[in-house]
């Protein structure tokens, strides 16, 4: 039988919604072979992969507040105002501590469930996927490094930003790893190979963010073509792409669970217990309705 995959989109503090869905999945005994996540979806994916059950993940979200995720940097604000140098709005040292405290990396990297998370190389505009058994805390911090808000994370000497810039809903890694039943958890109802320097100010950062956004779809297709090249060298890239995806998608069943109404822009960084409780309940109910239907 084909593998089952759970795909977790990014969306900041809205990630509590996925904890509610996870509770329903446990009750339905729906267990994924692959979990793919981006940004907060990467944090939830790694939490699940490290052995947290639904109640433990729910408790993590209920105990969360802004101070456990980030702290606004007055020093960076002054630096940007007077030195005109790029600096993120917040420091994520609290998030680093939280991940260290709550996630068991030994269990995560020894898990039989394949966990895949994404991040973007700022210098090369390359979308990269990191997976167990080689996941480290820097990979999670990179995948959740919201541009302009959080500092980028250095991996192998290069700066990385939030994978949501180019693959906020990373379905492709699930398909290329053999998933035939894919359950996507969205956090919204709205469903150039050139070496560059890191941005030096906010204007350049916004421009780079927009360019990465434009490249997103192309990079997803490119990853699929490169995968096919490894599978069957003799064919041309277009034959690889058409043949592989035609065959793969014939067997793939993609289903989506998502909020039924807009959550508001403010919900993105609203790390309060009140919002977490609301989203957990919504996630659970929406998932229950999905399975009943």
């Amino acid at each position: 039988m084909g593998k089952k995959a759970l795909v977790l989109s990014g969306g900041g503090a809205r990630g509590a919604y996925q904890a509610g869905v996870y509770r329903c999945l446990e009750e339905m005994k729906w267990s994924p072979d692959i979990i793919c996540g981006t940004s907060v979806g990467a944090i939830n994916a790694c939490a699940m992969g490290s052995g947290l059950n639904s109640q433990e993940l729910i408790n993590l979200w209920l105990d969360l507040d802004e101070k456990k995720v980030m702290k606004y940097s007055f020093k960076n604000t002054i630096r940007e105002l007077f030195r005109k140098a790029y600096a993120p709005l917040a420091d994520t040292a609290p998030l680093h501590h939280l991940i260290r405290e709550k996630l068991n990396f030994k269990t995560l990297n020894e898990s039989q469930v394949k966990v895949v998370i994404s991040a973007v190389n700022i210098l090369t505009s390359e979308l990269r996927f990191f997976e167990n058994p080689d996941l480290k805390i820097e990979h999670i911090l990179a995948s959740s490094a919201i541009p302009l808000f959080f500092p980028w994370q250095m991996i192998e000497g290069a700066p990385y930003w939030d994978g949501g810039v180019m693959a906020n809903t990373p379905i492709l890694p699930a398909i290329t790893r053999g998933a035939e039943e894919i359950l996507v958890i969205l956090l919204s109802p709205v469903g150039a190979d050139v070496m560059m320097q890191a941005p030096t100010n906010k204007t350049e950062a916004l421009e780079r963010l927009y360019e990465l956004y434009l490249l997103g779809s192309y990079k997803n297709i490119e990853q699929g073509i490169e995968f096919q090249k490894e599978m069957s060298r003799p064919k041309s890239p277009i034959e690889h792409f058409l043949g592989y995806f035609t065959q793969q998608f014939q067997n793939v069943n993609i289903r989506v669970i998502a909020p039924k109404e807009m959550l508001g822009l403010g919900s993105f960084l609203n790390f309060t217990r009140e919002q977490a409780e609301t989203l957990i309940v919504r996630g659970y109910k929406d998932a229950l309705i999905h399975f009943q239907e």
Side-chain angles (χ1 to χ4, degrees):
M1 294 181 64
K3 297 177 181 177
K4 292 190 292 186
L6 180 64
V7 177
L8 306 175
S9 292
R14 298 176 182 179
Y17 180 89
Q18 293 169 346
V21 173
Y22 187 35
R23 175 187 168 194
C24 184
L25 296 183
E26 277 192 349
E27 292 182 0
M28 296 294 176
K29 302 190 184 304
W30 193 94
S31 302
D33 304 293
I34 306 165
I35 307 177
C36 302
T38 291
S39 197
V40 72
I43 296 175
N44 282 336
C46 289
M48 295 172 189
S50 67
L52 268 65
N53 60 37
S54 64
Q55 190 57 54
E56 289 170 328
L57 184 60
I58 286 172
N59 290 342
L60 188 156
W61 276 98
L62 293 178
D63 292 339
L64 212 55
D65 58 40
E66 185 179 284
K67 293 180 180 179
K68 293 182 179 179
V69 177
M70 60 185 177
K71 58 181 179 181
Y72 289 101
S73 176
F74 180 72
K75 181 176 69 174
N76 281 356
T77 302
I78 295 298
R79 177 186 173 195
E80 190 166 54
L81 284 173
F82 292 97
R83 295 178 57 187
K84 305 299 181 182
Y86 171 75
L89 292 175
D91 179 6
T92 52
L95 179 59
H96 184 284
H97 176 75
L98 179 71
I99 293 172
R100 282 284 186 206
E101 180 185 9
K102 300 295 184 180
L103 271 59
N104 186 323
F105 279 84
K106 184 175 186 297
T107 301
L108 173 61
N109 284 311
E110 292 178 353
S111 174
Q112 295 300 307
V113 176
K114 176 60 67 176
V115 178
V116 186
I117 63 178
S118 65
V120 176
N121 185 316
I122 298 175
L123 304 184
T124 65
S125 301
E126 177 189 9
L127 173 64
R128 288 191 61 184
F129 296 108
F130 303 98
E131 60 189 85
N132 54 352
D134 301 311
L135 287 173
K136 300 178 181 178
I137 192 167
E138 53 261 38
H139 298 135
I140 302 176
L141 291 172
S143 185
S144 55
I146 304 170
L148 307 183
F149 285 97
F150 296 168
W152 55 59
Q153 179 69 34
M154 300 300 292
I155 299 176
E156 299 169 0
Y160 279 80
W161 255 344
D162 193 321
V165 172
M166 298 176 74
N168 198 51
T169 306
I171 298 177
L172 183 61
I175 296 173
T176 56
R177 287 159 180 78
E180 292 187 3
E181 182 180 353
I182 301 177
L183 184 59
V184 179
I185 314 303
L186 301 179
L187 296 178
S188 168
V190 180
D193 299 328
V194 178
M195 175 69 75
M196 296 181 288
Q197 299 300 314
T200 59
N201 56 55
K202 274 245 174 67
T203 302
E204 290 182 9
L206 284 169
E207 183 180 7
R208 183 73 57 85
L209 180 59
Y210 181 67
E211 294 299 331
L212 290 172
Y213 169 76
L214 293 180
L215 279 172
S217 297
Y218 163 72
K219 286 294 183 180
N220 273 296
I221 295 173
E222 182 185 60
Q223 292 281 346
I225 293 174
E226 289 302 316
F227 174 81
Q228 248 333 81
K229 285 180 180 178
E230 293 297 323
M231 295 296 291
S232 178
R233 285 288 179 184
K235 296 182 180 179
S236 68
I238 191 63
E239 287 174 325
H240 284 308
F241 175 71
L242 293 176
Y244 172 68
F245 279 94
T246 299
Q247 180 182 2
Q248 287 294 94
F249 277 103
Q250 284 179 348
N251 300 322
V252 172
N253 175 30
I254 299 176
R255 296 181 291 153
V256 175
I257 297 175
K260 307 300 183 189
E261 57 188 38
M262 299 297 286
L263 303 177
L265 186 61
S267 64
F268 188 67
L269 292 174
N270 182 14
F271 293 97
T272 63
R273 185 184 181 95
E274 181 181 8
Q275 175 172 283
E277 288 176 339
T278 299
L279 292 180
I280 288 166
V281 171
R282 283 191 189 182
Y284 176 79
K285 289 183 176 179
D286 289 345
L288 198 59
I289 292 170
H290 173 85
F291 279 100
Q292 288 172 346
E293 292 175 344

